[in-house]
Amino acid sequence: MNGADARGYRLALAGRSGSGKDTLAALAMHAVSGTRYERVAFGDAVISECELVIGAIRSDHGTDPAVAVARALGMPVESVRPFTALLAEPVRAGTLTFARERGPVARRAMQLLGDARRAADPGYWIRTALGRAADLATGASVYVPDVRTAEEADAVRNAGFLLAHVQCAEPVRQRRLAARDGVPPDAATARHRTETGLADYGRFHLMVRNDEDSLPPSAELPAVQAIVAALAAHEWRTPGRANR
């Protein structure tokens, strides 16, 4: 299937943190498209904005870093206080340098930042990610590895993506998170809507399990093979049409 169509394939994966979405998506895209694929994540813009927050806190020498953060993001001061308060101490102490470090503090702050943007504009993150996906669509396959909410799930479906849900045994998921982040997620992070918001969503095109935790991930994993088969069996390459 490599290079099968100038339009490329379109794949989106949902699932809880640590279920292996990014890994499975990249393996499946490589199988169907070779090197001609691009990753577009809803979380990319959240991370970029969180980096702006960290930079604003680091460069601010006033008594209220939320003022500097609000100016950097173009948001009201009160709406940025929750995540600014969470980040201010570790940033100023030098224990948190980049949002991409993926520790529990940065992850929780990004959840709060995401909530603040959605409260003001529910489609903010969706437009940002799918706008970039549309720009990349010509000549390359595109995958979205971090569908977290029902609104995001409906959006990728309506944009012509195969939407698969990755399930994973809880002990395996917790081990992966501890290995990746150094510590398991705290209770507030684990309960956030970006972790639980799709529990009752019923419009996935495909459900796969990814419990294998003892071998290096490869295209031979049953979950990867199921995704590849689904991509091959249906037309998941036409932007702007909801596949049913």
Side-chain angles (χ1 to χ4, degrees):
M1 284 183 284
N2 291 357
D5 190 297
R7 294 169 293 170
Y9 290 92
R10 300 169 76 78
L11 170 66
L13 295 190
R16 301 194 69 182
S17 296
S19 60
K21 302 182 296 297
D22 242 309
T23 300
L24 295 181
L27 288 167
M29 283 288 100
H30 184 75
V32 299
S33 300
T35 59
R36 298 173 63 251
Y37 60 90
E38 300 281 351
R39 178 187 183 276
V40 176
F42 289 110
D44 288 346
V46 185
I47 291 171
S48 295
E49 291 202 359
C50 194
E51 298 288 7
L52 290 177
V53 173
I54 291 172
I57 294 171
R58 189 182 295 119
S59 60
D60 177 64
H61 302 291
T63 58
D64 188 357
V67 174
V69 170
R71 187 181 307 116
L73 296 181
M75 297 174 67
V77 173
E78 292 308 313
S79 70
V80 308
R81 286 197 187 281
F83 53 87
T84 301
L86 192 62
L87 292 170
E89 183 176 344
V91 169
R92 287 174 166 173
T95 57
L96 178 61
T97 307
F98 301 106
R100 291 185 183 274
E101 291 173 4
R102 275 187 165 185
V105 173
R107 183 175 295 279
R108 180 62 179 152
M110 285 188 282
Q111 289 180 338
L112 295 175
L113 170 57
D115 288 344
R117 284 293 196 192
R118 289 188 200 96
D121 179 356
Y124 181 84
W125 304 115
I126 292 171
R127 288 195 308 276
T128 301
L130 294 190
R132 181 165 178 258
D135 291 341
L136 293 171
T138 302
S141 294
V142 177
Y143 73 91
V144 178
D146 63 341
V147 177
R148 299 284 196 172
T149 68
E151 295 84 0
E152 291 171 356
D154 287 342
V156 293
R157 280 181 55 95
N158 291 335
F161 283 74
L162 169 68
L163 176 59
H165 186 246
V166 182
Q167 299 173 314
C168 179
E170 188 63 14
V172 174
R173 194 178 73 85
Q174 291 293 336
R175 283 198 301 272
R176 290 174 182 164
L177 289 173
R180 186 187 72 186
D181 300 340
V183 293
D186 59 50
T189 300
R191 290 194 304 266
H192 191 260
R193 67 181 299 234
T194 55
E195 288 295 320
T196 63
L198 290 172
D200 298 320
Y201 189 79
R203 302 187 67 215
F204 295 110
H205 300 116
L206 178 68
M207 308 281 279
V208 298
R209 292 206 63 85
N210 184 35
D211 296 328
E212 181 56 64
D213 201 33
S214 60
L215 299 173
S218 74
E220 301 305 312
L221 288 173
V224 176
Q225 294 180 338
I227 294 168
V228 169
L231 287 168
H234 299 283
E235 181 61 71
W236 302 113
R237 291 178 286 171
T238 304
R241 190 190 71 233
N243 290 287
R244 303 185 186 281

